[in-house]
Amino acid sequence: MNTDWTKGWRDRAWGELYQDWDVIVIGGGITGAGILRQATQAGLHALLVEGHDFASGTSSRSSKLVHGGLRYLRNAHLKLTLESVREREYLLKQGRGLVNRLGFLYVNLRGDHMPGAIFGLGLSVYDLMARQWTHRAYDSLDMCELCAPLTTSQLLGGYRYFDAQTDDARLVLRLLGEAVASGALALSYTRVERLVRNRGGQVCGVALRDTLGEVERTAEVCAKLVISATGAWADDLREQVGKAPRLRPLRGSHLVIPFKRLPLTRAVTFLHPQDGRPVFALPWEGVTIFGTTDVDHRSVLESDPAISGDEFEYLLHALQHVFPGQELSPEDVTATFSGLRPVVNTGKANPSKESREHVIWDESGLLTVSGGKLTTFRLMARDALKAARQRVGQLQFEQDAPMLDTLPQEVEARLAEVSLPPAHRMRLLGRYGVQSVELVEAGQQADLDLIPGTPYLWAELRHAARAEGVVHLDDLLLRRIRLGIICPNGGLDLLDRVRAIAQAELGWDAARWQAEVAAYAGLWRRSYCFR
Ligand SMILES: Cc1cc2nc3c(=O)[nH]c(=O)nc-3n(C[C@H](O)[C@H](O)[C@H](O)COP(=O)(O)OP(=O)(O)OC[C@H]3O[C@@H](n4cnc5c(N)ncnc54)[C@H](O)[C@@H]3O)c2cc1C
């Protein structure tokens, strides 16, 4: 089966849909990607379909933390915190170069809704859960030394501790890519319009539609098991088996500030002065991202939600409060992004109090896996496969099988021959796995230069356009490499060079290029900036 993501891949994939699948996974976010990866490892013949681009849902719009979540500890969700801390440690080992340890400073301010000492107690529990002792208390002078922009007169002191950080979309892509390389089929821009049910009313397949609209294509595909990993959209499919909605989509938004306007080398977290919610300023890919909000998303569940005026003000106010010397204004925010948390609705007045634990519902043969976190994707996949055993039979299922491929030494050795700083090589290995060799060897010498103002190589752009299933320009600029988030003006100023590399790789003519640029610019203005 030819299931790679090089030129012509979607046509080939559509030609391969009619097979005896063990499992069909709906949704190409972190949950679906984790399930596909584990299903393939367990010897199942697996298909994944995604209505838009891979990772285009919440899984490219998170805070990018691989973390236990101190906030969950505060809400007494001990099990979730413990599991998440263990997953963090596991992913730090498995995903070197993709999941990295990150130092945090917790800032204790006069007037905080919670005394700093309580946070210190929480950190002790947090460290004990990871069987390590890394946190430390600091007074206000030390804190200012550790973080120069921290100029608020309200500073009392704080703590240092560690968590971890990733590139969420790249994590999804690596999982999907490795699942595909070991025999799975993953198809984007292919939507499940309807669940197919047998005479007994049990779900036994899906009716698919190609959402690109270039060719009118539909298909009905059957499997022993259908898993919905559709995140905040899960109720749409559950409705088709007669189930009442159970999810409460909560929108979370972030601001992106250039490093020079908020130069942080460590993450800084503090309680929002308005409502006492923890908020995070995170150094990521050369910029500072700040979030998040947690508000009911009351409008239609669109694919590209956007920040509201209230959220923008709420976030900016917090930054101004803690970093007054930076004199941050709305003009300093170069981009925004918003995602929808799939959270189970228990009717709590305060959305932030709703549990972030994952759920598995088996309803008329449709297995829905939702809720949870980016960090816990492996546990979600494992639980989904356990629940699937009855229907797919015996699984070659190793509880601790690595989720990411262990890279042969030869890969590291070949990459070591390329003249790149070690940190860059490690990034490539983490993000692209075995593909990193092809990535650096495919282009010209100039491709090994950095894209100005970013940590990305031009070679990454070429590789993405050539071999990573890019269908639209926003797939390339928002998720394969994140120029749309980290560059001013959504990276539009770089488009001449981007075009010189990507247009030929993608096989687009001039008219298609112009149409893609117009569509990308429109999307970026609607959903990735606030003007
Ligand atoms: C603002 C914010 C910050 C967060 N920060 C963190 C963090 O730092 N760390 C952490 O661990 N977690 C974090 N989370 C949680 C985490 O991001 C989510 O739990 C996770 O990304 C959800 O992944 P998913 O695959 O279940 O859903 P999604 O990523 O939304 O994927 C679902 C996919 O299903 C597709 N789909 C829907 N319907 C259909 C259909 N009918 N046919 C085909 N495809 C369909 C959608 O297009 C979508 O791509 C955060 C969440 C938010 C909102």
Side-chain angles (χ1 to χ4, degrees):
M1 176 163 39
N2 188 354
T3 52
D4 64 14
W5 287 335
T6 50
K7 211 175 264 176
W9 69 282
R10 289 187 80 258
D11 292 337
R12 292 195 296 275
W14 267 86
E16 284 164 358
L17 279 176
Y18 292 103
Q19 301 188 34
D20 288 332
W21 299 105
D22 290 318
V23 52
I24 297 173
V25 182
I26 314 168
I30 190 70
T31 309
I35 295 171
L36 188 76
R37 184 75 190 106
Q38 278 220 341
T40 311
Q41 281 178 335
L44 297 179
H45 191 42
L47 163 70
L48 179 143
V49 285
E50 162 56 52
H52 294 264
D53 183 27
F54 302 123
S56 61
T58 308
S59 300
S60 54
R61 302 152 192 272
S62 77
S63 304
K64 286 93 174 87
L65 295 177
V66 174
H67 65 155
L70 277 158
R71 181 158 81 85
Y72 311 124
L73 203 57
R74 190 178 160 197
N75 290 347
H77 297 139
L78 284 178
K79 181 170 164 271
L80 177 63
T81 316
L82 178 62
E83 286 177 344
S84 307
V85 164
R86 291 194 177 153
E87 286 308 292
R88 178 193 71 196
E89 294 305 302
Y90 172 86
L91 286 167
L92 275 166
K93 281 197 202 99
Q94 263 266 301
R96 281 187 324 142
L98 177 57
V99 180
N100 299 312
R101 203 169 277 286
L102 177 67
F104 279 68
L105 291 177
Y106 171 77
V107 179
N108 187 200
L109 302 169
R110 203 164 285 115
D112 267 355
H113 290 61
M114 183 179 73
I118 303 276
F119 192 85
L121 208 63
L123 281 176
S124 303
V125 177
Y126 206 52
D127 267 357
L128 286 173
M129 283 176 167
R131 299 195 193 103
Q132 59 193 12
W133 199 255
T134 58
H135 74 280
R136 211 188 126 174
Y138 289 105
D139 64 20
S140 55
L141 283 178
D142 290 334
M143 289 289 283
C144 292
E145 227 168 79
L146 288 168
C147 179
L150 211 49
T151 48
T152 170
S153 58
Q154 306 302 310
L155 183 61
L156 293 176
Y159 291 88
R160 177 209 68 191
Y161 67 100
F162 290 92
D163 250 320
Q165 185 180 49
T166 189
D167 177 329
D168 45 7
R170 290 291 347 163
L171 180 59
V172 173
L173 289 162
R174 177 143 177 220
L175 286 166
L176 286 177
E178 291 181 353
V180 165
S182 46
L185 183 61
L187 186 51
S188 60
Y189 292 94
T190 300
R191 188 179 158 74
V192 170
E193 293 286 83
R194 185 173 48 80
L195 297 168
V196 177
R197 299 168 78 173
N198 64 19
R199 282 205 197 101
Q202 293 293 299
V203 173
C204 60
V206 293
L208 300 172
R209 184 174 59 84
D210 188 339
T211 59
L212 274 190
E214 286 169 350
V215 247
E216 193 59 33
R217 272 197 290 217
T218 56
E220 245 184 56
V221 186
C222 290
K224 290 181 190 146
L225 175 69
V226 176
I227 301 181
S228 164
T230 47
W233 293 267
D235 279 339
D236 293 352
L237 291 177
R238 293 183 57 252
E239 197 184 343
Q240 293 189 25
V241 290
K243 297 296 168 191
R246 292 188 66 178
L247 293 179
R248 178 178 183 179
L250 297 176
R251 189 174 63 246
S253 299
H254 290 86
L255 307 181
V256 181
I257 321 264
F259 178 80
K260 62 175 189 294
R261 292 296 295 121
L262 187 53
L264 299 183
T265 49
R266 294 179 169 83
V268 172
T269 175
F270 55 94
L271 304 182
H272 196 292
Q274 234 162 280
D275 56 8
R277 286 184 57 255
V279 279
F280 296 86
L282 305 158
W284 183 74
E285 304 289 51
V287 294
T288 301
I289 60 176
F290 183 66
T292 166
T293 53
D294 208 7
V295 296
D296 281 303
H297 184 76
R298 299 193 195 280
S299 45
V300 185
L301 281 187
E302 62 275 77
S303 309
D304 294 287
I307 193 169
S308 69
D310 285 350
E311 288 174 280
F312 189 91
E313 270 174 37
Y314 170 89
L315 292 174
L316 190 61
H317 170 65
L319 285 176
Q320 290 164 337
H321 181 72
V322 171
F323 306 110
Q326 299 306 115
E327 297 181 353
L328 293 168
S329 72
E331 285 67 45
D332 291 312
V333 179
T334 48
T336 62
F337 59 94
S338 304
L340 301 177
R341 290 187 184 84
V343 169
V344 180
N345 192 358
T346 60
K348 296 240 179 353
N350 179 352
S352 297
K353 296 272 179 218
E354 296 281 20
S355 166
R356 269 43 173 176
E357 287 187 34
H358 67 268
V359 289
I360 298 195
W361 295 315
D362 191 347
E363 296 160 326
S364 305
L366 175 71
L367 203 72
T368 299
V369 187
S370 192
K373 301 162 59 185
L374 190 77
T375 309
T376 52
F377 76 89
R378 186 175 72 124
L379 304 180
M380 294 171 78
R382 204 163 68 190
D383 288 352
L385 284 199
K386 279 187 194 154
R389 267 189 180 137
Q390 273 179 329
R391 264 178 281 158
V392 290
Q394 211 44 39
L395 298 175
Q396 305 148 26
F397 184 43
E398 279 176 51
Q399 184 101 336
D400 280 319
M403 284 297 275
L404 299 169
D405 283 351
T406 309
L407 302 181
Q409 274 188 342
E410 185 207 335
V411 172
E412 284 194 41
R414 277 177 66 189
L415 219 62
E417 288 164 18
V418 182
S419 94
L420 280 174
H424 286 255
R425 288 206 294 268
M426 185 52 76
R427 267 192 80 250
L428 294 180
L429 286 167
R431 280 165 171 71
Y432 302 94
V434 285
Q435 295 273 313
S436 46
V437 173
E438 202 178 298
L439 182 149
V440 292
E441 288 177 355
Q444 304 144 11
Q445 187 58 36
D447 285 357
L448 296 181
D449 292 343
L450 287 177
I451 301 178
T454 80
Y456 310 119
L457 305 176
W458 287 107
E460 292 178 71
L461 184 97
R462 184 183 297 285
H463 174 76
R466 180 179 293 179
E468 289 204 305
V470 168
V471 172
H472 285 304
L473 190 58
D474 61 292
D475 306 345
L476 182 65
L477 300 185
L478 288 170
R479 290 170 288 277
R480 300 304 181 282
I481 55 172
R482 322 291 300 263
L483 301 182
I485 294 176
I486 69 166
C487 294
N489 203 17
L492 285 166
D493 308 339
L494 293 165
L495 275 194
D496 284 348
R497 180 82 194 271
V498 170
R499 180 180 188 171
I501 291 177
Q503 187 181 337
E505 297 288 354
L506 291 161
W508 293 347
D509 61 17
R512 170 80 188 265
W513 178 262
Q514 296 306 342
E516 289 288 341
V517 171
Y520 170 70
L523 170 67
W524 190 81
R525 274 194 294 273
R526 276 192 312 279
S527 299
Y528 289 88
C529 77
F530 184 77
R531 293 275 188 273

